């Protein structure tokens, strides 16, 4: 029997709703599995996209492909990054204004179109280059928008007791995409004509995207978002569809205490100006925390990941065609961390686990840096060291996205994710340039040793910020973690103006 308690009731423009409590009392059901598969694939696609672009870039300067210069190839990644930042800011705003479902359908479509069109690039003349860069910008915009819309949707429809492990696990699947991309391009580039294989490489993502398109279409809109925007009947229909789905799996839903209701007075106009006001006047500590976690993990990851093969080839003399093997090992370590450690962020707690993974990965990186400089490591042991370091760092990096998506009010959640994602990407872009310069021709390990110590210190700083400013959000309803801007009362507690 479905829960018969009303989702909401209106009085003088104020909506009293039990929707947050009704979502949080659910236990895991097939609905949640479908949601994670349909929405979580965004990170698989991003990992796939970046890996393929990196691998394919090396062949695009050959005459049998597009015959691009090294500078033109390098610009592909820059344009994609700019697209991600633009897409995150644009679609983050639209997601808060128009709804999560509308946007996670649109952003997937934008990504599919951008990638499919990239495969049609015909040459390196002026129009061909404009077309190539435009399609990479479009694909990047789609992925950037995915981060904002999907993190919001997952957090808002996931029961509080699972929110941490699911968000961290989903963000960690980026590395599953990297593994698929590495294997895919390795096979394509070595067994098919280069002028065809690089195009097929860019079509791997759209094929995966098409497979999940239908799943997304049948997901409901976030009931939380609907009720915060005064769409009571749609909110009731959405939560009812989720509850019916859960009951069909054999669960019996417990009644919800009326004292857990939230009262909101919907209002429009929560754009980036409202976000800036919240960030700098109401929640400066949370803003500092979010920026610190996002910037530090982005700097470290971009620095190591984008120069990984350079270190192997220049310091350990690994043949270029063998580097994908080492890269897959690195990706496996990064994928395993969030999947195996994710539940601890819900049980041990956010602050201890986030600070712990950041600080531990920083300390381990410093130790490995000393070993690297002392000449103790070889290609195999260096890879093992990185796998261990990033087993913890990956869980920490994923928790940065979790933090940003749960500690800001629902009305500006997607925009907050977008802003801090954009900030992180801009700072992260410094890493590959800086570390590429330190690597040089591979003649001075001392320079890279200093660089690794800097990366270690950066992660430790992020962990220390979490120690002092972290939010203990584990097991708590989103409305208790971040009071909605439109809230009149939460759980019977009146909100002061």
């Amino acid at each position: 029997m479905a829960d018969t308690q009303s989702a909401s009731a209106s009085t003088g423009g104020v909506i009293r709703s039990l929707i947050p409590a009704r979502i949080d009392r659910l236990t895991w059901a097939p609905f949640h599995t479908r949601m994670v598969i349909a929405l979580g694939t965004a990170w698989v696609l991003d990992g796939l996209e970046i890996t393929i672009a990196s691998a394919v870039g090396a062949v695009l300067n050959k005459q049998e492909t597009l015959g691009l210069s090294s500078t033109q190839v390098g610009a592909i990644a820059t344009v994609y990054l700019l697209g991600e930042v633009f897409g995150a800011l644009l679609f983050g705003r639209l997601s808060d204004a128009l709804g999560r479902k509308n946007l996670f359908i649109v952003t997937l479509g934008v990504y599919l179109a951008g990638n499919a069109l990239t495969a049609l690039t015909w040459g390196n003349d002026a129009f061909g280059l404009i077309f190539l860069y435009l399609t990479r910008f479009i694909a990047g915009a789609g992925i950037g928008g995915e981060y904002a819309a999907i993190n919001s949707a997952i957090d808002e429809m996931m029961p509080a007791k699972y929110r941490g492990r699911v968000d961290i696990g989903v963000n960690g699947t980026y590395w599953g995409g990297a593994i698929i991309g590495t294997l895919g391009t390795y096979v394509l580039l070595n067994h098919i004509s280069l002028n065809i294989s690089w195009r097929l490489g860019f079509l791997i993502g759209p094929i995966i995207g098409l497979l999940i398109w239908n799943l997304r279409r049948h997901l409901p809109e976030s009931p939380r978002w609907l009720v915060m925007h005064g769409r009571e009947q749609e909110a009731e229909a959405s939560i009812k569809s989720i509850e019916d789905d859960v009951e069909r799996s054999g669960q019996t839903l417990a009644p919800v205490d009326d004292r857990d209701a939230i009262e909101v007075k919907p209002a429009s106009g929560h754009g980036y100006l409202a976000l800036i006001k919240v960030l700098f006047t109401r929640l400066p500590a949370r803003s500092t925390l979010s920026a610190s976690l996002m910037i530090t993990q982005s700097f470290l990851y971009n620095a190591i990941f984008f120069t990984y093969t350079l270190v192997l080839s220049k310091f350990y003399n690994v043949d270029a065609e063998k580097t994908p093997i080492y890269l897959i090992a690195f990706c496996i370590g990064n994928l395993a961390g969030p999947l195996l450690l994710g539940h601890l962020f819900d049980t041990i707690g956010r602050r201890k686990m986030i600070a712990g993974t950041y600080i531990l990965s920083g300390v381990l990186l410093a130790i490995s840096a000393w070993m690297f400089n002392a000449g103790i490591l070889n290609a195999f042991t260096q890879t093992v060291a990185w796998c261990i370091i990033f087993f913890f760092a990956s869980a920490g990096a994923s928790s940065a996205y979790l933090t940003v998506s749960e500690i800001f009010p629902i009305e500006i959640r997607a925009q907050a994710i977008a802003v801090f994602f954009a900030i992180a990407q801009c700072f992260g872009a410094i890493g590959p340039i800086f570390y590429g310069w330190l690597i040089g021709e591979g003649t001075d390990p001392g320079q890279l040793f200093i660089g690794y110590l800097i990366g270690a210190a950066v992660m430790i700083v992020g962990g220390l910020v979490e120690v002092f400013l972290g939010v203990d959000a584990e097991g708590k309803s989103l409305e208790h973690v971040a009071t909605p801007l439109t809230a009149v009362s939460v759980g019977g507690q009146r909100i002061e103006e």
Side-chain angles (χ1 to χ4, degrees):
M1 185 71 181
D3 193 334
T4 58
Q5 298 180 77
S6 173
S8 58
S10 298
T11 304
V14 174
I15 298 175
R16 180 178 176 81
S17 176
L18 285 167
I19 279 180
R22 290 167 70 177
I23 292 174
D24 288 336
R25 57 84 184 267
L26 300 176
T27 54
W28 196 271
F31 164 78
H32 299 105
T33 302
R34 289 197 305 275
M35 180 175 68
V36 168
I37 293 173
L39 300 183
T41 314
W43 286 264
V44 176
L45 293 176
D46 192 24
L48 177 74
E49 187 69 20
I50 289 178
T51 305
I52 287 176
S54 299
V56 166
V59 304
L60 291 183
N61 56 13
K62 297 181 180 296
Q63 291 304 314
E64 61 264 43
T65 59
L66 296 181
L68 303 180
S69 68
S70 296
T71 302
Q72 290 169 336
V73 171
I76 294 174
T78 302
V79 170
Y80 180 79
L81 173 63
L82 292 174
E84 279 196 318
V85 172
F86 173 81
L89 295 173
L90 172 64
F91 294 122
R93 171 70 185 98
L94 294 177
S95 179
D96 280 336
L98 304 178
R100 313 312 189 200
K101 181 174 182 176
N102 288 332
L103 268 295
F104 63 62
I105 293 293
V106 169
T107 53
L108 180 59
V110 171
Y111 165 77
L112 294 176
N115 250 33
L117 289 172
T118 296
L120 300 178
T121 304
W122 60 87
N124 61 5
D125 59 276
F127 289 108
L129 286 176
I130 291 172
F131 180 83
L132 172 63
Y133 294 140
L134 178 61
T135 60
R136 300 317 302 144
F137 185 88
I138 292 172
I143 289 294
E146 290 267 284
Y147 277 98
I150 288 176
N151 260 323
S152 301
I154 289 177
D155 281 358
E156 290 165 14
M157 290 194 282
M158 187 61 59
K161 54 181 169 285
Y162 305 121
R163 191 172 65 241
R165 71 196 72 185
V166 168
D167 214 328
I168 287 173
V170 163
N171 280 281
T173 58
Y174 172 99
W175 297 101
I179 293 172
I180 297 171
T182 301
L183 290 173
T185 52
Y186 182 75
V187 172
L188 290 173
L189 295 178
N190 287 282
H191 295 87
I192 300 176
S193 167
L194 289 181
N195 195 39
I196 296 176
S197 62
W198 78 264
R199 301 176 192 277
L200 293 177
F202 279 113
L203 292 176
I204 295 175
I207 291 171
I208 295 175
L210 285 173
L211 293 176
I212 65 168
W213 181 275
N214 200 49
L215 277 177
R216 286 196 181 182
R217 286 180 56 246
H218 290 91
L219 289 177
E221 176 58 272
S222 164
R224 276 184 160 110
W225 182 88
L226 287 168
V227 79
M228 294 297 171
H229 286 76
R231 295 160 63 172
E232 303 167 63
Q233 293 183 345
E234 293 173 72
E236 173 60 28
S238 182
I239 186 64
K240 186 68 165 52
S241 71
I242 295 173
E243 290 172 336
D244 288 347
D245 199 316
V246 169
E247 286 190 317
R248 281 193 293 271
S249 69
Q251 293 185 32
T252 300
L253 301 183
V256 179
D257 193 329
D258 187 65
R259 290 174 296 182
D260 292 330
I262 181 173
E263 292 182 334
V264 297
K265 190 171 184 178
S268 59
H270 298 295
Y272 280 111
L273 289 178
L275 174 65
I276 292 172
K277 181 178 180 181
V278 171
L279 295 185
F280 293 103
T281 61
R282 288 179 52 176
L283 300 171
R286 294 189 178 197
S287 300
T288 301
L289 171 67
S290 299
S292 300
L293 294 180
M294 291 291 286
I295 290 172
T296 52
Q297 63 83 23
S298 182
F299 176 83
L300 178 70
Y301 261 100
N302 286 359
I304 302 298
F305 183 58
F306 288 111
T307 60
Y308 186 95
T309 55
L310 282 177
V311 173
L312 291 175
S313 61
K314 292 187 178 295
F315 288 99
Y316 298 114
N317 299 315
V318 175
D319 293 335
E321 60 269 20
K322 293 182 180 179
T323 54
I325 299 172
Y326 294 89
L327 184 60
I328 289 173
F330 178 73
C331 293
I332 290 173
N334 277 276
L335 177 62
L339 297 181
L340 296 178
L341 299 179
H343 70 284
L344 299 177
F345 289 79
D346 284 322
T347 54
I348 294 178
R350 304 283 200 266
R351 192 188 303 255
K352 292 178 181 177
M353 285 302 299
I354 295 174
T357 51
Y358 267 70
I359 293 173
L360 180 58
S361 60
V363 170
L364 291 175
L365 179 58
I367 293 173
S368 73
W370 172 80
M371 296 173 70
F372 166 79
N373 193 48
I376 297 173
L377 302 175
N378 56 35
F380 175 76
T381 53
Q382 177 71 78
T383 299
V384 171
W386 277 335
C387 285
I388 295 172
I389 293 166
F390 285 90
F391 175 85
F392 297 102
S394 182
S398 295
S399 71
Y401 286 93
L402 165 66
T403 298
V404 174
S405 66
E406 70 180 358
I407 67 172
F408 293 102
I410 186 172
E411 296 90 346
I412 56 172
R413 175 167 293 125
Q415 293 171 88
I417 296 170
V419 165
F420 289 109
F421 172 78
I423 292 172
Q425 291 294 77
C426 292
F427 275 89
I430 299 172
I433 299 172
F434 177 59
Y435 280 80
W437 174 73
L438 292 177
I439 292 169
E441 296 302 316
T443 58
D444 186 3
Q447 283 194 161
L448 190 54
F449 166 64
I450 298 299
Y452 284 150
L453 290 183
I454 292 173
V458 163
M459 283 299 281
I460 291 172
V461 167
L464 292 175
V465 172
E466 173 67 27
V467 169
F468 294 103
L469 300 181
V471 178
D472 300 314
E474 60 274 6
K476 296 179 181 178
S477 171
L478 286 173
E479 289 71 26
H480 288 278
V481 175
T483 304
L485 300 178
T486 53
V488 176
S489 70
V490 175
Q493 299 294 315
R494 303 294 294 180
I495 306 300
E496 297 294 331
E497 293 293 336

